Amino acid sequence: PTAPFHELAATLDRRWPELGLAPGWPERVTRTRARAMVERLARHFQDSGEVLAVEARFTTQVGRAVLSGSVDRLVRQEDGTVLVEDLKTGAAPSKEKAVSHPQLGAYQVALTEGAFHEVPGLEEGAQSAGAQLVHVNQGKDATLRTQPALHAADDPRWAHDLVEDAAETMASACFEARINPLCGFCPVRRSCPLQTVGRALGQEAS
């Protein structure tokens, strides 16, 4: 979690054959890109603060929901607060979307609910410093997308409400179809009444 570039690069070289990529130009391009990501990650490690935990698992009750998973990094800040970091290799969202990013919000809920109480060095009742996405796919340095601490938000309960609403939706007898950014990847969009092809199918069926 705090290794310098030469150590991370050595690990990359050692484990690269595990991917089983065929030798050739695509493999060389992919390896060069991976090495650049590792370099950005190493520079981020130098400035990120004291790492309390890596891939820290958690489970906590939020309303009727059981929120569980793992966070990539918990990092203590100079003032004693704890920052949740999630490492990404894809494109970064806008700064505006990061403010209400559901995944980061859920991680902050876990932290505020005391779900990481078994992490060594994490003081009981430690406050969240917020959360951030660390994108290492391009640029000179990692691209950071930050979400403020929940207690500093206009609605400090927004992430809790998000988790609880998701649980209520999953427990209900039916789902309301909603247009969202993932519609283009949905395997049943041709049957969805909100999609053009889905409406046509519905008309034929009636």
Side-chain angles (χ1 to χ4, degrees):
T2 58
F5 172 65
H6 72 274
E7 290 185 20
L8 294 177
T11 300
L12 177 67
D13 293 340
R14 176 173 54 83
R15 300 196 59 182
W16 187 259
E18 296 177 23
L19 296 178
L21 300 179
W25 180 78
E27 186 269 346
R28 291 195 298 272
V29 170
T30 303
R31 188 163 186 167
T32 299
R33 182 167 177 261
R35 189 178 180 87
M37 288 186 180
V38 167
E39 189 170 3
R40 295 183 194 102
L41 186 63
R43 281 200 292 270
H44 175 70
F45 284 175
Q46 291 178 348
D47 303 323
S48 63
E50 180 188 356
V51 180
L52 296 174
V54 175
E55 297 183 2
R57 296 205 58 81
F58 65 87
T59 299
T60 189
Q61 189 84 29
V62 183
R64 66 184 299 177
V66 176
L67 182 63
S68 64
S70 65
V71 299
D72 288 340
R73 288 159 55 89
L74 294 175
V75 185
R76 190 187 346 247
Q77 306 301 287
E78 291 183 357
D79 61 359
T81 58
V82 178
L83 179 69
V84 179
E85 288 190 337
D86 189 55
L87 307 180
K88 299 289 189 184
T89 58
S94 66
K95 294 180 180 179
E96 291 74 19
K97 287 186 177 180
V99 171
S100 57
H101 194 278
Q103 183 182 7
L104 294 184
Y107 288 160
Q108 286 209 70
V109 169
L111 180 59
T112 58
E113 292 296 323
F116 300 103
H117 63 276
E118 295 183 356
V119 172
L122 182 61
E123 297 177 3
E124 184 177 354
Q127 278 201 330
S128 172
Q132 67 181 8
L133 302 171
V134 181
H135 288 264
V136 296
N137 63 317
Q138 62 183 1
K140 179 182 177 181
D141 298 312
T143 299
L144 306 181
R145 291 291 183 262
T146 303
Q147 181 178 92
L150 296 182
H151 64 80
D154 293 336
D155 178 10
R157 294 284 307 175
W158 73 265
H160 284 78
D161 292 341
L162 188 68
V163 172
E164 292 179 12
D165 289 347
E168 293 295 336
T169 299
M170 294 297 293
S172 64
C174 61
F175 292 106
E176 177 185 352
R178 300 179 184 178
I179 295 293
N180 66 80
L182 298 179
C183 285
F185 304 97
C186 179
V188 295
R189 62 184 178 278
R190 294 183 180 276
S191 302
C192 177
L194 296 184
Q195 303 295 328
T196 303
V197 290
R199 287 197 295 271
L201 181 64
Q203 292 169 359
E204 291 176 5
S206 62

